[in-house]
Amino acid sequence: TTAGTPMYRLGLSAGDLIVSMNGQPVATEADVKRILTEAGPGASIPVTWFSRSGEVTARMQLEADPRVE
């Protein structure tokens, strides 16, 4: 994950596996993009992932992508 991004602030690390976002299963990067787009900037969504320490769930505050005008 990139420093300063919502996923970085959430606590995701390299090697972690996201399994659901906003109550929807995640199997591919396309799933992540679709779920984030559907929720939109400003939404606060639950994210569940597996890390070295086990399963973790936390809420992520979505932001607008500064690269998109």
Side-chain angles (χ1 to χ4, degrees):
T1 56
T2 304
T5 64
M7 287 191 181
Y8 177 84
R9 287 191 292 276
L10 192 63
L12 284 162
S13 299
D16 290 351
L17 176 66
I18 298 172
V19 293
S20 73
M21 297 178 82
N22 210 20
Q24 300 178 53
V26 171
T28 66
E29 186 176 336
D31 291 336
V32 171
K33 290 178 181 180
R34 177 185 48 78
I35 294 166
L36 294 176
T37 299
E38 289 172 355
S44 176
I45 65 169
V47 179
T48 301
W49 69 94
F50 288 109
S51 71
R52 292 183 192 111
S53 61
E55 185 175 309
V56 180
T57 300
R59 293 197 75 78
M60 179 171 64
Q61 183 72 37
L62 302 183
E63 301 172 352
D65 186 340
R67 299 171 295 175
V68 177
E69 293 182 14

